[in-house]
Amino acid sequence: MPNNHNLSVIGHAQIKIDAMGKVTGETKYADDLVLPRMVYGKLLRSVYPHARIIGIDASRARALPGVFAVITGKDLPIKYGIMPSTQDEEALCVDRVRFVGDPVAAVAAIDEETAERALELIEVEYEPLAPVMNIRDALDEKFPQIHAYADHHNIHKFVALEFGDLDAGFRAAEYVREDVFFYEGDTHLAMEEHACIGHFSADGKLTLYSSTQTPHYVHRALEKALQFPRGHIRVIAAPVGGGFGGKTDPFSHEVVACKLSMLTGRPVKITLTREEVFYTHRGRHPVLMWIKSGVKRDGQITALHFKTILDGGAYGSYGIASTYYTGALQTVTYKIPTYKFEGVRVFTNKPPCGPKRGHGTPQPRFGLEVHLDKIARELNLDPAEMRRKYVVDDGTQTVNHLTITSCGLRECIDEVVKASDWKNRKSQIPNSKSQIKRGLGIACSSYLSGAGLPIYWNDLPHSGVIVKVDRGGGVAVFCGSTDIGQGSDSLLAYIAAEEFGLKPQDIKVFSADTDLTPVDLGSYSSRVTVMTGNACIQAARIVKEKILQASAEKLLVPPASLAMRDGVVICEDDENRKLSFVQAINLAEAKFGTLTGTGSYKPPKRAGPFKGSGVGPSPSYSYSACVAAVAVDTETGEVKVEKLFLAHDGGRAINPLSVIGQTEGSAYMGFGEALMEESAFRKNMHKIPSLLDYKSPTTLDTPELHAILVETIDPEGPYGAKEAGQGPLLPVPPAIANAIFDAVGVRIDEVPITPDKVLRALEEKSKGNAPRFGPKDFPVIKMPEAIKVEPPDAKHAPRLVQ
Amino acid sequence: MLRLPPFEYLAPKNLADAAQLLAQYGDDAMLVAGGTDLFPNMKRRQMTPKFVIGLNALRELRGIKNENGNVVIGAGTTLTQISQSLNLSALATAAGLVSSPQLRNAGTIGGNLCLDTRCNYYDQTFFWRKAIGFCMKKDGDICLVAPGGNRCWAISSTDCAPVAVALDASVRLVGPKGERVIAAAELYRDDGMDYLTKARDEILTEIILPPADGLRSTYLKLRRRNSIDFPILGVAAAVRVAPNGIVEHARIILGAIASHPVQAIDAEKILIGQRLSDDVIAAAADAAFKPAKPMDNADAAYAWRKKMVRVYVRRALTELKEQN
Ligand SMILES: Cc1cc2nc3c(=O)[nH]c(=O)nc-3n(C[C@H](O)[C@H](O)[C@H](O)COP(=O)(O)OP(=O)(O)OC[C@H]3O[C@@H](n4cnc5c(N)ncnc54)[C@H](O)[C@@H]3O)c2cc1C
Ligand code: SF4
């Protein structure tokens, strides 16, 4: 553990500043807000997976007493979308619906019941089209094309990149292996359903209150979709009851609530039902994967060739980034000298997929880590040792031009190996005769601490902070960042408190309000701690500088001899010379005028010299290692995860309690994905859009978890911090799959690992067939020629050993 | 949030008033006890009664008492109360495995025994059912699970019913024409739509358990999660073993594999007159497994659910063998 000796807040366990409000129910989430004269909006959604809209007759709905306005796609014809290159969403479908649940019309009425009755009175005439429901249909040109724009028919996007000489890599290999994997889609399942209020006020200005992780991007989308100047729009993110990536797109209900308010002159609230949240989605992409690697006899990788096909659902969303992410971070854990990545995203008639915790990386990580486990078994190597030996080094670059500033993966592996008694695992000791078989499995991973590039191209800061100090002693921090439960408001308070020698409870944080706070791009890509943290330090130190100068003059000592701690400004050389915080700031205000400081942060420019290099770079990377201990019931195929050991290098833990909380939350989410969660479809419909039927683990199902923090002090992060909100999810599914193999000798190459699949693989095994359950093959797709990219300077990148 | 459809709530003070209201409003009325089944179903428009008659104020429906050696449980007794009454053996186990603590605090045994049959084409919102095309259980005329047939295969998903049947319990029904007591087994019909033999205007008032008299019983529940989930298989087993180790009486009742609790008669026959040896147990498990025919309308792969019948019956009987 690093020495926190000189830090009084950072590195110490703290309660979150909003904790009491949340546990007492005082916090007002978006759906708790009530404005005078407010009315309620509801969306009419498509009952067809794929159809042309022939006509909409809303006259009966308009005539219903209590209805204030009814709108259709014609009222909001301008397309928008989170990625500049895929502006393919309509707030209400204009002439075509693309999945069951796609919104086609909206109503504002005196209450929700009336709004619902009005929806029933809207008549939509459809001409059904053949639905495209899975990857194979999407590759088949017999099916209709879902969007007019696409790289090819229903192929939304092709990506093909080759780094270094792959053929040479395979030639240098002593063992080559190919595998196919499938990772089913799943959803965020935040407890809070999306809600918003659009309020077009008497002064002609528009305010949106919304449960969003990205008020800034919503701000931009509203300007476009409503054709209304952004300077007159204010977006306020209410406290968010869980996001996990499900609230990072601009959404139909947000645009619609604003439009309805503009038409009625009343505030309009829209709260989605749980079922609607399943349709709004943007969750984990189902990904089919093919992987081929070449290794030396000791497991050193010489070549890696990786292909993915993402089932994108009906719209672009973040899909292009997701596609790149299924390839970009495969290189940041182990030394890989040659790498080829081919990714494809297809459109299907299902709710659109997008970013969910780990965005595009849990799927390839599952494939890679199970594949490596198979290699270790094949070559008779210890899977932990094999990984450990070729971990990337600090201060190097990967073959695809990503910069490693600090890597604590080796220590993470050591920690979980020790904690789980790995060396005495089952492969070493024979299993008992009982039908319950136990085993251990290991997997590692890495994640970014913030995307190095913004969603839309610009040269502006990614995060801004204003610190303002009041004569009375109040310290206020203003930042556009959005607290979605991860604790970003608290982070700002910790930093300001540390810098001013105060307690976190002394700091007031105002966040996520496009009128009051400087822009922060949003709570996604694990970017907030590093980016707002750095901006906050900068802003606070500007004010601190002024306070110290003014105090130094008063105390007749040099500013450098002064420190701020325990609520005073004090001379380190003569502790009798001190001022209270309030005295000091009054002196500073008298000398410098109103006390404010601003800070902004832009990540280092590190993108490689090739098209597509924008996805992957980050100020730093977190690392995780996980050992899963499982017990498999060979009669039922049920897998009980008895323990998870998870070591995470998130850099300096600014609040270790929060970092452990994030590590646990991530690991449990990974656990749910590994064993039960799936976005299942049947007869062209989401099969189980409810909290009862979509299986996510309860507290009685989740395993005992040992979270271990490994704190590298990263040079880029505030006080050395990296990320913790997403990375610890990644190694959990493959560690569980590998543990199952250790226990019962079958490979489940497909997530979720349901009892049925395990039992079928066990039956195959007992029949003498391949002891495996998973996809049989990978479709042949005519890919474009890969862009060939030279690896970075050999001094800094892994070298191919002949 | 899904909203309830409009309805009028009636709160009779005693059983007679409740029966009278039910008779008066006929098909427009439904009873509600804990409401943990009825209200979610109403939100999804699976039923839209104009009148909802609350049974909460009916004291005569509450509590557990001993009468002539029988245990008599009022239909309004909550599942939590039953699960904490240890002398109710497997019924307490089953009640304690229903759903989650909150729902057990509200849900009653009467509501549990009358629970609507379930199907994942049917337990969906009005919007969802409209999009997929309504089925015959509500608003439509085909079955989406077995479109060729002419019946509904919705699943009896109550945890307590298989146990009540296995324990040879009976139930008291009170209606306008008087009251009757029938065997719990006779309360059910193999029909996903018309799953109760109880007339619409009858109120279930009591569950009567005969004296245990050395009966060994157990209930095993299969579900994906350890809380909240309905059963996707329930095995209630009861045996009476003579001092010489020979099985004299056996009941094996399977829940959640058909529209009614299914008696595994062949399996029971195998046990009678035998000792509970591993071979006999395995043979009985096999006999229960063979006719089981779960359909693809609940959680988990139906082929796997069928395989689990054998495993769970074997485990239940093995537990009874060891129960002494
Ligand atoms: C998320 C969730 C999970 C659940 N999991 C389970 C589970 O695991 N196992 C399980 O068995 N159940 C489960 N249930 C269903 C339900 O909670 C229980 O079955 C409960 O016991 C029902 O009792 P109730 O009093 O709430 O019934 P109500 O909802 O009040 O009534 C249910 C039905 O019975 C009728 N009824 C009620 N009382 C009488 C009476 N005295 N006479 C005649 N008719 C009557 C009603 O008219 C209605 O048709 C679950 C429900 C939910 C919402
Ligand atoms: S079994 Fe068939 S008819 Fe019955 S509820 Fe299910 S789909 Fe409807």
Side-chain angles (χ1 to χ4, degrees):
Chain A
M1 287 287 259
N3 184 355
N4 293 331
H5 187 69
N6 295 320
L7 299 169
S8 57
V9 178
I10 304 300
H12 300 275
Q14 308 281 351
I15 71 156
K16 288 182 184 168
I17 58 168
D18 51 358
M20 291 313 287
K22 283 187 172 161
V23 298
T24 56
E26 199 177 86
T27 304
K28 281 198 161 46
Y29 295 93
D31 187 45
D32 297 323
L33 301 174
V34 176
L35 299 181
R37 301 175 66 245
M38 188 171 88
V39 297
Y40 296 82
K42 278 265 166 208
L43 299 166
L44 180 72
R45 294 177 181 272
S46 167
V47 290
Y48 286 96
H50 198 187
R52 254 190 282 281
I53 300 173
I54 305 297
I56 303 181
D57 179 359
S59 51
R60 286 170 63 216
R62 286 201 179 93
L64 186 74
V67 170
F68 289 83
V70 181
I71 55 173
T72 66
K74 290 204 185 77
D75 299 294
L76 286 165
I78 296 178
K79 293 187 178 184
Y80 60 89
I82 186 71
M83 306 287 288
S85 58
T86 52
Q87 301 283 300
D88 61 1
E89 297 190 46
E90 292 154 345
L92 299 168
C93 298
V94 175
D95 51 19
R96 194 197 274 232
V97 292
R98 294 181 173 86
F99 65 96
V100 171
D102 219 358
V104 289
V107 169
I110 193 74
D111 52 32
E112 280 197 313
E113 284 87 348
T114 309
E116 266 170 22
R117 238 173 301 133
L119 293 185
E120 284 164 25
L121 299 175
I122 300 176
E123 280 155 43
V124 187
E125 194 189 335
Y126 293 104
E127 179 194 319
L129 298 165
V132 182
M133 292 309 291
N134 55 48
I135 288 172
R136 281 173 214 265
D137 291 354
L139 297 173
D140 184 342
E141 292 178 29
K142 278 204 312 283
F143 284 87
Q145 193 170 339
I146 295 172
H147 284 283
Y149 86 101
D151 277 1
H152 179 77
H153 200 63
N154 281 321
I155 294 181
H156 174 199
K157 182 75 187 168
F158 285 118
V159 176
L161 296 165
E162 185 175 332
F163 304 92
D165 185 345
L166 192 78
D167 290 341
F170 278 115
R171 279 196 303 274
E174 290 163 347
Y175 173 69
V176 174
R177 171 173 191 104
E178 268 179 53
D179 282 299
V180 188
F181 296 98
F182 180 63
Y183 199 109
E184 183 54 281
D186 50 57
T187 203
H188 318 88
L189 217 72
M191 289 317 292
E192 180 206 26
E193 291 110 340
H194 306 51
C196 72
I197 299 177
H199 184 199
F200 186 69
S201 44
D203 58 2
K205 298 213 173 65
L206 178 67
T207 303
L208 175 77
Y209 306 82
S210 186
S211 44
T212 174
Q213 303 177 233
T214 50
H216 174 63
Y217 293 140
V218 172
H219 201 201
R220 288 169 48 83
L222 289 180
E223 171 174 54
K224 184 176 183 205
L226 298 165
Q227 296 285 291
F228 192 73
R230 203 174 350 148
H232 291 196
I233 304 175
R234 177 179 185 187
V235 177
I236 300 172
V240 178
F244 313 112
K247 295 168 183 164
T248 47
D249 284 59
F251 289 111
S252 157
H253 64 274
E254 296 172 319
V255 178
V256 164
C258 291
K259 181 73 185 179
L260 287 171
S261 182
M262 292 168 89
L263 291 172
T264 60
R266 286 174 175 251
V268 177
K269 179 191 274 188
I270 299 183
T271 303
L272 301 187
T273 63
R274 178 58 61 180
E275 183 185 12
E276 288 181 290
V277 175
F278 276 96
Y279 300 146
T280 304
H281 193 47
R282 321 293 156 141
R284 182 97 59 233
H285 285 75
V287 182
L288 187 61
M289 295 167 269
W290 174 90
I291 177 168
K292 178 179 170 188
S293 73
V295 295
K296 295 286 190 192
R297 227 164 259 118
D298 71 346
Q300 182 180 10
I301 298 167
T302 60
L304 179 64
H305 187 179
F306 196 72
K307 298 185 197 179
T308 58
I309 307 177
L310 294 80
D311 180 346
Y315 293 96
S317 181
Y318 283 79
I320 292 197
S322 319
T323 310
Y324 278 105
Y325 273 128
T326 62
L329 301 191
Q330 296 293 68
T331 55
V332 283
T333 39
Y334 319 110
K335 291 174 184 143
I336 296 175
T338 68
Y339 177 49
K340 183 172 180 182
F341 167 62
E342 292 170 282
V344 170
R345 182 179 194 259
V346 298
F347 286 126
T348 52
N349 293 116
K350 298 192 277 193
C353 297
K356 180 187 167 188
R357 208 174 201 169
H359 192 189
T361 69
Q363 305 98 322
R365 187 47 66 176
F366 173 74
L368 179 63
E369 294 292 319
V370 175
H371 176 76
L372 289 178
D373 202 67
K374 294 182 184 190
I375 290 175
R377 297 279 174 170
E378 221 34 67
L379 299 179
N380 236 327
L381 300 170
D382 177 331
E385 199 39 52
M386 177 183 109
R387 285 172 167 84
R388 191 185 184 285
K389 199 159 163 192
Y390 293 107
V391 163
V392 296
D393 297 317
D394 289 3
T396 60
Q397 277 181 297
T398 66
V399 69
N400 59 337
H401 295 262
L402 304 178
T403 301
I404 313 294
T405 50
S406 67
C407 170
L409 182 53
R410 224 170 250 127
E411 213 179 323
C412 289
I413 295 175
D414 292 343
E415 291 288 347
V416 291
V417 160
K418 192 168 73 196
S420 64
D421 199 14
W422 171 262
K423 300 253 154 67
N424 294 315
R425 69 196 179 282
K426 179 233 141 186
S427 17
Q428 262 69 347
I429 8 163
N431 234 317
S432 72
K433 282 220 185 60
S434 133
Q435 96 267 1
I436 305 286
K437 308 279 182 212
R438 294 196 156 74
L440 293 185
I442 191 166
C444 302
S445 66
S446 175
Y447 197 68
L448 52 154
S449 314
L453 281 91
I455 299 287
Y456 65 100
W457 191 91
N458 71 74
D459 218 12
L460 305 168
H462 291 212
S463 194
V465 168
I466 299 172
V467 170
K468 173 190 146 282
V469 179
D470 172 73
R471 289 177 196 180
V475 177
V477 181
F478 299 83
C479 178
S481 60
T482 313
D483 200 317
I484 58 171
Q486 88 279 39
S488 60
D489 282 359
S490 299
L491 171 94
L492 295 166
Y494 304 149
I495 291 177
E498 181 67 52
E499 293 298 324
F500 294 132
L502 301 172
K503 296 195 182 68
Q505 292 72 22
D506 297 331
I507 313 295
K508 291 169 226 175
V509 176
F510 300 87
S511 59
D513 178 329
T514 59
D515 269 4
L516 284 186
T517 63
V519 166
D520 174 78
L521 295 180
S523 286
Y524 66 93
S525 85
S526 277
R527 49 177 297 289
V528 180
T529 293
V530 168
M531 303 201 190
T532 66
N534 278 323
C536 188
I537 292 177
Q538 200 187 0
R541 288 190 184 161
I542 287 170
V543 179
K544 186 174 177 177
E545 184 89 354
K546 295 178 189 171
I547 298 173
L548 293 185
Q549 264 195 46
S551 305
E553 280 175 20
K554 175 79 178 173
L555 296 172
L556 304 169
V557 295
S561 72
L562 292 176
M564 296 182 80
R565 58 174 149 89
D566 303 325
V568 295
V569 178
I570 190 161
C571 176
E572 301 276 26
D573 306 327
D574 175 359
E575 298 213 338
N576 290 324
R577 295 185 197 233
K578 61 179 177 190
L579 294 165
S580 75
F581 181 68
V582 174
Q583 284 172 322
I585 57 179
N586 279 281
L587 293 168
E589 189 178 335
K591 183 170 166 68
F592 296 104
T594 304
L595 278 185
T596 62
T598 64
S600 20
Y601 180 80
K602 221 173 9 171
K605 282 206 163 110
R606 289 182 184 147
F610 59 96
K611 186 170 180 294
S613 67
V615 176
S618 173
S620 61
Y621 299 89
S622 75
Y623 288 88
S624 312
C626 175
V627 167
V630 304
V632 182
D633 185 327
T634 52
E635 289 175 355
T636 64
E638 286 165 311
V639 175
K640 181 170 168 34
V641 177
E642 296 186 317
K643 276 179 192 166
L644 285 174
F645 303 90
L646 206 147
H648 182 68
D649 160 25
R652 157 102 66 192
I654 289 194
N655 176 359
L657 211 54
S658 284
V659 178
I660 295 222
Q662 287 296 314
T663 305
E664 291 177 348
S666 297
Y668 284 140
M669 194 174 247
F671 163 83
E673 294 188 12
L675 296 184
M676 51 178 91
E677 297 195 28
E678 65 185 303
S679 299
F681 288 81
R682 179 179 62 183
K683 299 196 198 229
N684 309 326
M685 301 265 307
H686 196 300
K687 185 179 168 186
I688 42 171
S690 77
L691 276 179
L692 175 60
D693 293 321
Y694 176 91
K695 302 300 180 191
S696 182
T698 71
T699 46
L700 296 183
D701 306 300
T702 42
E704 188 180 319
L705 181 70
H706 298 256
I708 303 158
L709 302 186
V710 168
E711 296 184 61
T712 53
I713 303 302
D714 187 82
E716 300 286 341
Y719 312 98
K722 300 199 282 190
E723 78 86 41
Q726 312 195 64
L729 182 151
L730 305 179
V732 176
I736 291 174
N738 293 339
I740 291 169
F741 179 80
D742 190 49
V744 291
V746 301
R747 287 289 177 189
I748 311 301
D749 291 339
E750 180 178 309
V751 158
I753 303 173
T754 58
D756 172 51
K757 294 176 189 172
V758 176
L759 199 58
R760 279 161 70 180
L762 285 167
E763 286 165 3
E764 290 304 314
K765 188 182 175 207
S766 66
K767 284 185 212 147
N769 298 333
R772 168 177 186 267
F773 187 97
K776 302 229 155 34
D777 52 10
F778 190 88
V780 180
I781 301 175
K782 211 178 151 295
M783 290 292 296
E785 188 76 24
I787 300 174
K788 292 222 161 43
V789 184
E790 278 299 308
D793 176 0
K795 261 209 314 286
H796 303 291
R799 237 170 308 168
L800 183 62
V801 180
Q802 292 301 329
Chain B
M1 179 170 80
L2 288 175
R3 302 245 159 217
L4 280 166
F7 62 91
E8 193 172 322
Y9 184 77
L10 306 171
K13 294 265 180 309
N14 55 50
L15 185 59
D17 288 357
Q20 196 262 323
L21 286 171
L22 193 55
Q24 181 184 342
Y25 291 111
D27 284 355
D28 285 340
M30 282 191 81
L31 297 172
V32 71
T36 61
D37 181 43
L38 184 69
F39 290 135
N41 292 355
M42 285 173 65
K43 285 185 163 189
R44 294 185 294 248
R45 306 300 189 268
Q46 289 158 264
M47 42 210 57
T48 49
K50 287 206 187 89
F51 301 95
V52 172
I53 303 170
L55 298 177
N56 269 343
L58 274 53
R59 294 243 185 117
E60 46 280 62
L61 295 194
R62 291 236 196 94
I64 304 171
K65 53 190 182 213
N66 276 299
E67 258 179 33
N68 315 324
N70 293 332
V71 176
V72 178
I73 306 165
T77 310
T78 66
L79 297 170
T80 300
Q81 283 168 291
I82 292 172
S83 69
Q84 289 164 356
S85 302
L86 289 179
N87 56 343
L88 294 179
S89 60
L91 194 63
T93 312
L97 287 170
V98 169
S99 189
S100 63
Q102 293 88 335
L103 286 165
R104 289 196 294 274
N105 288 342
T108 66
I109 180 79
N112 191 267
L113 293 182
C114 297
L115 181 74
D116 193 9
T117 51
R118 298 186 64 84
C119 167
N120 61 19
Y121 286 96
Y122 164 70
D123 293 297
Q124 301 276 3
T125 63
F126 184 82
F127 169 82
W128 192 98
R129 291 186 289 116
K130 182 175 174 193
I132 204 158
F134 296 112
C135 78
M136 66 168 85
K137 189 160 158 76
K138 180 67 181 161
D139 304 316
D141 40 38
I142 55 155
C143 170
L144 295 163
V145 183
N150 54 4
R151 62 161 286 183
C152 164
W153 297 92
I155 305 167
S156 167
S157 305
T158 133
D159 279 304
C160 295
V163 180
V165 175
L167 299 180
D168 290 329
S170 38
V171 294
R172 185 181 304 276
L173 303 171
V174 174
K177 292 188 212 89
E179 49 175 90
R180 59 188 179 123
V181 174
I182 59 169
E186 280 163 30
L187 181 61
Y188 300 101
R189 192 184 277 141
D190 184 12
D191 179 338
M193 286 164 70
D194 197 9
Y195 59 97
L196 292 179
T197 59
K198 176 182 90 60
R200 270 192 81 102
D201 54 9
E202 282 180 310
I203 299 175
L204 195 162
T205 57
E206 293 175 349
I207 294 93
I208 304 153
L209 292 181
D213 196 13
L215 195 73
R216 305 178 190 178
S217 66
T218 187
Y219 178 69
L220 298 187
K221 174 174 181 171
L222 176 64
R223 57 176 161 180
R224 214 102 75 105
R225 298 176 292 188
N226 290 310
S227 186
I228 302 179
D229 288 345
F230 280 93
I232 48 177
L233 168 67
V235 175
V239 294
R240 189 169 292 116
V241 181
N244 62 2
I246 299 291
V247 176
E248 294 175 338
H249 165 93
R251 284 268 182 277
I252 300 172
I253 310 298
L254 307 179
I257 58 154
S259 298
H260 66 131
V262 174
Q263 187 177 2
I265 298 177
D266 293 341
E268 291 172 356
K269 279 191 192 143
I270 287 175
L271 297 180
I272 302 290
Q274 302 288 327
R275 276 167 212 286
L276 285 172
S277 69
D278 289 350
D279 288 349
V280 167
I281 288 176
D286 217 40
F289 156 80
K290 279 196 185 119
K293 203 172 124 202
M295 312 272 282
D296 190 12
N297 58 348
D299 183 36
Y302 65 98
W304 179 77
R305 274 159 42 215
K306 178 171 164 81
K307 288 178 199 167
M308 290 307 103
V309 172
R310 184 174 6 220
V311 177
Y312 271 60
V313 170
R314 180 159 46 70
R315 287 183 182 178
L317 294 175
T318 307
E319 200 186 303
L320 293 188
K321 176 184 163 187
E322 284 150 15
Q323 226 180 65
N324 221 334

